[in-house]
Amino acid sequence: MNKNITLTIDNKTITAPEGANLLEAATSNGIAIPHLCYHRKLTATGACRLCIVKIEGQRGLVASCAVGVQEGMTVTAFDDELEEVRAYLLDYLLSEHNEAYDGSYSDEFRELTKRYGLKDKEMRLFPPLWKSLNYPQDESSPVLSYDATKCIKCFRCIKACDEVQGKNVLSFSQRGISSYIVGGFGVWDESECDGCGECIQLCPTGAIVEKAHRSSINLENGIRKVRTTCPYCGVGCQLELLISNGKIVRSNGVEGVSPNDGRLCVKGRFGYDFAAHPDRLTTPLIKKNGRFVEATWDEALGLVATRFSEVREKYGRKALAGYASAKTTNEDNYLFMKLIRMVFGNNNVDYCTRLCHASTVTAMLRSLGDGAGSNSIEDYEHSDCILITGNNMIETHPVTATFVKHAAQRKGAGIIIIDPKWTPMVKDARIWLQPRLGTDVALLNGMIRTIISEGLIDGDFIEQRVDGGMKAFEALRSLTEKYTPGYVEEVTGVPGKLMQEAARMYACADRPLIATGMGYSQQVTGTHNVFCLINMMLITGQIGRPGAGLNPPRGQNNVQGVSDVGASPFTYPGYVPVDDDDNRRRVADIWGVPFESLDGEKGLSTVEIMQAAWDGKIRAMYIMGENPMLTDPNLNHAEEALKKLDFLVVQDIFHTDTTPYADVILPATSFAESEGTYVNSDRRVLRVRKAVDPPGEARQDWEIINEIAKRMGTSLGDYQKESDIWEEIARAAPIFAGISYERLEQQGIQWPCPHKDHPGTATLFEERFNTSNGLARLHPVDYVEQSERTSAEYPFILNTGRILYQYHSSTMSRRNKALTDYANEAYVLMHPDDAEKQGLSDRQKVNIASPRGQIGEITLRVSSEVLPGELFMPFHFPEAPVNKLTRDELDPYSRIAPFKLSAVSVEKI
């Protein structure tokens, strides 16, 4: 860190880090030097020249954006000469600029022209030249408009795309005064622009503006702004929502605040229209004679309470179960979990983590004592080696990917990709290992063997911080000895030398991070996959410091938080086991209930609940914000299970693939109508704030849950507002003890935060692991061939996953025109060699079948993104329910299903 120095600007003495940008130093000390081309996130351009200053001892006028501060520097920022030159420069820029302003965008240039008196045309020296230059307009993008008549050629949009987002899609066409911005080779919609909108946010003139709701926005009249957290993936981007006439009309990234520092992806910036969609559920619905009819809240809640109570009395407390939701707040999920435990009387509560990251959490808990990411998202930017395993980060966590790309493109970090499918990050990777599906354990054990045989282990770390020290290490060394480069290549298809190169790169790095995704976790060997990653990390000592560790990016906005607050069949809030009597006594005391009333047996996990429903052991279910009829494995089996239930309640914001099976549907609020908190992928507790009123009679989830509990004869607590619930969560979960709504007002706090004066914890395991003895544990595991194999009848292995423009079961994302304009069709990828053998062609419609089911009318995309013999399909689309093909076999440790490996056939239609 640079030392602070003192300098003088206009007779004001200020302090700043040595070498800091002079313009930034002035601005942060309240000295507003005019500028247009400079932005703190970008390298200096010096194009507009408005930030000129005089520096004692230097000749001429100097662009302050291109100067680093030095001790004793004396600067003049404002005098008559400087102001005269600035007015001249602005006057010249105005001559090339269309001044028409519709109030729909923030215009820094317009504000400066007013400041310097140039709104009065009689004060100008230059005639308007822009009308004669035939500047183009580009309306081809689904999400933005470009008007070259408003462009001042400041480079901010070009640099925003390149330096912040790492995409480099924008550039200049033509030269000199005739130049203008183009996307790709000339037409925005034909370029690689993915609609993130960073160029919009950083444009200082309105040359690039959002299309959506533009006619409804007047920033000078009637716009209200609300800061909240994005409802999509687990990055937790901070949003500033613009509200007009009770509707969200724009979403901006909040600058200068973690984790996104103003960055957004296309969903965060343009995916908010679902909140006001006419399909929203607005009133309770009860199924009568096979049809849903509208009901009052009193009638619906009374029926729910009565039927749940009847099932409990007739079949016992273990005959009920609930699915919590990764889309709703911590406060909602905490009360949902309390209802299952206090009112239903069991621990049969789970949610979608059992279908995504359960393997990762299980392995990390057993090895490290904690299942959350060990580092901050910003750490990726400072890492020198990033190992990305089974994670299409650019599409699933686009903002996190910007930090990764910055490390690679600007700082020379090496990226290693382990993925059987090509992902966009491969373009920035130094090494891409493409193993056959299901062979990850063999590949990682080969990397471990290389590290050991070449002496790249950290013996001190093993001896001091690994349980069993070198004795435990010897067991791992012995097991991995057979994983020679030749054997690994035979099993995985990965060239042995390339595998060894990746192992060396990771082991020798100073600050390596691992980002592991659902490609690793959604297998019956998912826990073993992550054990291998952890084994490699521990023997090299690559954890427990900033920039080094293991980080599983969470797929939904509050996946992390739901586990944290205890919506798990195995743990109470803060990951304390439900079958430990001391834990039960502590929780019972906080909840004010008898110790004996809390079930001391572990509950059923997500897939086990559905199996128990099929078996007739679960007779009633409460599903909040989940859509198992699209996201659960082996959907035909799941459908039969739901049909067997005596009673089903679904609580959601839209009709889903699951609501037709419900007896009662309860309308809930979306993120935009809710108060509360989420926890993002780097353990950061973030505020969610109400921006608009709920539609019709929709209520926030926790209010519905609380009322059901009361009607079933149990009070969950005297909660008047969301902060009351959070205060109880902070008592129940020690990791949250020091976090309050008041402390979260300006920025998020990373857990663990043990007391109110604690700043939060950016990096885990710096001194000890969260195990009973503070030591990490190695878990040597062998490669075992997957039970699902190809055959003559089912000759392909199907992989499934996500795409950038849709989200989960698409109930939210598909109700945004900006997103569906980019992608709104199911498809299957097949290697060109396979397509040729099958006599299939690109864009042809095909049927796909597995031993469990079939789906039809799927568009075939012939692509070398997948290996021969392997296929890929996104799971978002109800008309192509890919989980009819997947199986519900479970990882024995994490109870996760193998969404990533299904034997299938493909036939032309």
Side-chain angles (χ1 to χ4, degrees):
M1 182 176 294
N2 293 347
K3 66 178 182 180
N4 281 339
I5 55 92
T6 60
L7 67 153
T8 301
I9 303 178
D10 289 346
N11 299 316
K12 179 181 180 180
T13 300
I14 66 171
T15 61
E18 186 175 23
N21 182 281
L22 174 56
L23 176 57
E24 191 67 35
T27 301
S28 62
N29 281 275
I31 303 170
I33 300 175
H35 59 278
L36 285 172
C37 68
Y38 176 78
H39 192 279
R40 62 174 185 82
K41 293 195 290 191
L42 309 176
T43 57
T45 302
C48 72
R49 313 304 294 176
L50 292 173
C51 69
I52 50 173
V53 296
K54 298 175 181 177
I55 300 176
E56 190 176 281
Q58 296 188 28
R59 296 175 59 184
L61 306 180
V62 180
S64 60
C65 69
V67 174
V69 300
Q70 300 296 326
E71 179 67 49
M73 182 179 278
T74 301
V75 179
T76 300
F78 294 94
D79 65 14
D80 291 344
E81 180 186 11
L82 288 167
E83 289 292 86
E84 184 178 343
V85 172
R86 288 172 182 143
Y88 180 90
L89 292 169
L90 284 168
D91 192 355
Y92 181 77
L93 288 173
L94 261 177
S95 70
E96 301 176 24
H97 180 75
N98 177 3
E99 295 178 67
Y101 180 66
D102 63 6
S104 68
Y105 55 89
S106 179
D107 193 333
E108 298 171 38
F109 184 42
R110 183 169 179 263
E111 295 304 311
L112 282 176
T113 59
K114 287 194 293 185
R115 173 175 167 179
Y116 283 86
L118 295 172
K119 297 307 293 180
D120 183 352
K121 296 183 180 180
E122 295 182 0
M123 300 295 293
R124 302 180 189 175
L125 300 174
F126 299 99
L129 303 175
W130 64 271
K131 293 181 180 180
S132 63
L133 294 174
N134 297 316
Y135 284 135
Q137 295 186 353
D138 190 337
E139 295 287 336
S140 65
S141 166
V143 295
L144 60 84
S145 301
Y146 173 64
D147 182 355
T149 69
K150 292 185 173 298
C151 179
I152 60 171
K153 306 172 183 61
C154 67
F155 286 86
R156 263 165 65 164
C157 63
I158 292 175
K159 289 192 170 188
C161 185
D162 183 23
E163 297 179 5
V164 178
Q165 289 285 333
K167 295 166 183 171
N168 199 20
V169 174
L170 306 184
S171 61
F172 276 116
S173 181
Q174 307 299 324
R175 294 183 178 180
I177 197 173
S178 299
S179 61
Y180 57 91
I181 302 295
V182 294
F185 293 107
V187 180
W188 220 290
D189 192 36
E190 297 174 3
S191 73
E192 292 185 340
C193 173
D194 64 11
C196 74
E198 191 77 37
C199 56
I200 300 171
Q201 181 143 332
L202 269 60
C203 176
T205 67
I208 308 176
V209 180
E210 299 96 330
K211 279 184 175 178
H213 307 294
R214 187 166 180 179
S215 62
S216 304
I217 298 173
N218 185 345
L219 296 179
E220 297 179 339
N221 182 32
I223 292 291
R224 185 168 54 87
K225 298 180 180 180
V226 177
R227 180 176 155 189
T228 191
T229 301
C230 181
Y232 286 102
C233 80
V235 176
C237 291
Q238 295 300 282
L239 308 179
E240 181 186 69
L241 300 180
L242 275 61
I243 314 300
S244 178
N245 295 320
K247 290 181 62 176
I248 305 169
V249 292
R250 184 165 292 168
S251 172
N252 294 323
V254 180
E255 296 282 351
V257 175
S258 293
N260 54 312
D261 191 17
R263 300 163 170 85
L264 293 177
C265 76
V266 64
K267 292 193 291 291
R269 195 175 299 277
F270 297 107
Y272 51 79
D273 278 344
F274 74 88
H277 198 278
D279 289 349
R280 284 290 301 274
L281 293 170
T282 59
T283 189
L285 301 172
I286 294 175
K287 187 179 286 181
K288 296 182 178 179
N289 300 318
R291 297 180 60 189
F292 286 109
V293 298
E294 292 187 357
T296 65
W297 273 107
D298 184 63
E299 181 183 7
L301 292 173
L303 177 61
V304 170
T306 298
R307 293 298 305 278
F308 278 156
S309 297
E310 289 174 350
V311 169
R312 185 181 59 187
E313 291 302 313
K314 184 174 182 180
Y315 298 104
R317 58 191 175 89
K318 291 188 182 289
L320 298 102
Y323 281 0
S325 176
K327 301 180 188 71
T328 61
T329 67
N330 294 313
E331 292 75 7
D332 297 331
N333 282 285
Y334 180 76
L335 285 206
F336 188 88
M337 173 272 303
K338 284 188 72 175
L339 179 140
I340 301 298
R341 291 188 161 114
M342 289 175 57
V343 185
F344 286 6
N346 62 57
N347 292 311
N348 295 335
V349 57
D350 209 356
Y351 71 112
C352 71
T353 192
R354 202 64 48 199
L355 306 177
C356 56
H357 264 300
S359 303
T360 313
V361 173
T362 299
M364 293 178 70
L365 282 169
R366 292 185 177 215
S367 298
L368 312 175
D370 218 312
S374 60
N375 299 80
S376 300
I377 288 172
E378 300 97 314
D379 273 11
Y380 286 107
E381 188 172 9
H382 307 293
S383 175
D384 60 349
C385 176
I386 301 158
L387 173 58
I388 302 174
T389 62
N391 184 349
N392 185 1
M393 187 183 288
I394 285 178
E395 297 204 56
T396 59
H397 302 87
V399 170
T400 298
T402 66
F403 293 100
V404 175
K405 288 187 285 186
H406 191 274
Q409 296 171 2
R410 304 289 158 185
K411 299 182 178 180
I415 297 177
I416 304 167
I417 305 289
I418 301 179
D419 205 307
K421 179 186 175 294
W422 181 92
T423 67
M425 192 67 83
V426 169
K427 291 186 288 187
D428 286 297
R430 199 172 297 173
I431 297 174
W432 175 28
L433 306 181
Q434 193 178 16
R436 298 185 185 101
L437 280 165
T439 63
D440 303 287
V441 168
L443 178 64
L444 292 172
N445 277 344
M447 294 176 68
I448 291 170
R449 181 187 183 279
T450 297
I451 290 167
I452 294 172
S453 64
E454 297 188 8
L456 302 178
I457 67 168
D458 186 337
D460 289 341
F461 187 92
I462 295 170
E463 199 62 61
Q464 296 168 15
R465 302 205 57 189
V466 173
D467 195 18
M470 295 305 293
K471 184 178 180 181
F473 166 76
E474 282 301 319
L476 178 66
R477 185 199 60 76
S478 177
L479 180 139
T480 58
E481 184 61 34
K482 68 181 180 184
Y483 291 90
T484 63
Y487 174 64
V488 170
E489 185 167 344
E490 178 185 341
V491 172
T492 69
V494 173
K497 290 185 177 179
L498 194 61
M499 176 271 291
Q500 290 178 304
E501 184 181 346
R504 295 182 194 110
M505 183 187 299
Y506 174 78
C508 296
D510 291 326
R511 300 175 308 282
L513 283 175
I514 299 174
T516 184
M518 286 178 280
Y520 261 37
S521 63
Q522 288 179 329
Q523 300 184 35
V524 290
T525 57
T527 304
H528 279 191
N529 292 340
V530 182
F531 275 150
C532 288
L533 279 174
I534 295 171
N535 291 341
M536 184 172 68
M537 179 180 66
L538 291 176
I539 67 170
T540 52
Q542 303 289 32
I543 188 170
R545 60 185 187 274
L550 176 61
N551 301 277
R554 306 306 191 194
Q556 295 188 59
N557 51 305
N558 200 30
V559 168
Q560 184 65 53
V562 186
S563 289
D564 294 345
V565 300
S568 161
F570 314 129
T571 58
Y572 288 127
Y575 300 96
V576 293
V578 298
D579 55 357
D580 181 282
D581 285 351
D582 290 339
N583 291 332
R584 271 201 300 152
R585 286 191 179 89
R586 178 179 173 277
V587 171
D589 184 59
I590 292 171
W591 291 351
V593 298
F595 161 73
E596 297 78 12
S597 69
L598 297 181
D599 188 358
E601 294 183 10
K602 293 179 180 179
L604 300 176
S605 65
T606 299
V607 179
E608 290 173 326
I609 288 172
M610 202 62 75
Q611 181 62 53
W614 193 89
D615 291 336
K617 296 176 182 177
I618 295 294
R619 308 302 295 245
M621 283 186 67
Y622 185 0
I623 298 176
M624 176 178 73
E626 292 290 338
N627 187 13
M629 276 309 301
L630 192 65
T631 60
D632 271 22
N634 196 357
L635 282 180
N636 290 327
H637 182 273
E639 181 181 21
E640 291 303 313
L642 290 182
K643 287 179 177 179
K644 288 185 174 185
L645 290 172
D646 292 353
F647 190 63
L648 173 63
V649 176
V650 176
Q651 189 166 299
D652 218 310
I653 63 174
F654 293 111
H655 277 291
T656 69
D657 307 271
T658 305
T659 55
Y661 302 89
D663 296 287
V664 178
I665 302 172
L666 303 176
T669 55
S670 75
F671 88 109
E673 304 118 27
S674 300
E675 289 281 341
T677 56
Y678 300 151
V679 183
N680 79 339
S681 293
D682 68 1
R683 298 168 284 103
R684 197 181 306 266
V685 184
L686 300 158
R687 281 283 277 117
V688 181
R689 296 177 177 87
K690 180 180 176 180
V692 294
D693 290 331
E697 299 177 32
R699 295 182 181 180
Q700 189 159 345
D701 291 279
W702 74 264
E703 296 173 314
I704 302 171
I705 297 161
N706 208 29
E707 186 61 28
I708 291 172
K710 288 179 181 178
R711 289 171 182 250
M712 292 183 70
T714 301
S715 172
L716 298 180
D718 182 20
Y719 311 113
Q720 303 301 312
K721 54 189 181 301
E722 292 76 12
S723 59
D724 295 339
I725 304 173
W726 178 260
E727 288 174 6
E728 183 175 308
I729 294 172
R731 292 198 305 274
I735 57 176
F736 296 133
I739 301 176
S740 64
Y741 272 35
E742 182 179 11
R743 292 192 66 194
L744 294 174
E745 190 58 34
Q746 298 303 319
Q747 61 185 6
I749 298 173
Q750 291 168 277
W751 66 255
C753 180
H755 55 81
K756 64 183 180 64
D757 297 319
H758 193 280
T761 306
T763 305
L764 294 181
F765 315 128
E766 288 190 286
E767 296 179 358
R768 70 187 310 275
F769 293 98
N770 201 28
T771 57
S772 57
N773 62 1
L775 300 176
R777 298 185 177 94
L778 294 171
H779 289 271
V781 292
D782 231 333
Y783 165 68
V784 178
E785 190 175 353
Q786 298 278 337
S787 60
E788 181 100 327
R789 301 181 179 95
T790 58
S791 64
E793 186 177 2
Y794 301 107
F796 297 101
I797 292 294
L798 174 67
N799 185 7
T800 67
R802 307 178 183 215
I803 62 174
L804 172 63
Y805 298 104
Q806 297 299 334
Y807 173 70
H808 206 238
S809 62
S810 73
T811 54
M812 291 160 47
S813 55
R814 248 179 154 180
R815 289 178 169 91
N816 298 274
K817 184 178 184 299
L819 301 180
T820 56
D821 280 352
Y822 278 106
N824 198 30
E825 179 188 48
Y827 61 86
V828 60
L829 297 182
M830 176 182 282
H831 192 274
D833 292 350
D834 291 327
E836 184 178 358
K837 290 176 184 177
Q838 298 288 314
L840 300 172
S841 57
D842 193 54
R843 307 298 303 177
Q844 189 171 2
K845 296 293 185 179
V846 296
N847 292 331
I848 306 176
S850 80
R852 293 155 292 277
Q854 63 180 10
I855 54 178
E857 296 286 329
I858 310 301
T859 300
L860 178 73
R861 293 187 186 178
V862 179
S863 171
S864 57
E865 291 183 10
V866 294
L867 287 166
E870 297 184 2
L871 310 173
F872 173 83
M873 275 191 72
F875 76 90
H876 308 289
F877 302 102
E879 66 273 22
V882 68
N883 283 322
K884 283 191 174 183
L885 309 174
T886 59
R887 66 194 195 279
D888 51 10
E889 179 185 358
L890 299 181
D891 177 312
Y893 301 94
S894 65
R895 318 307 293 164
I896 201 169
F899 295 91
K900 300 302 184 189
L901 201 150
S902 304
V904 300
S905 63
V906 179
E907 295 181 355
K908 68 175 71 174
I909 297 177

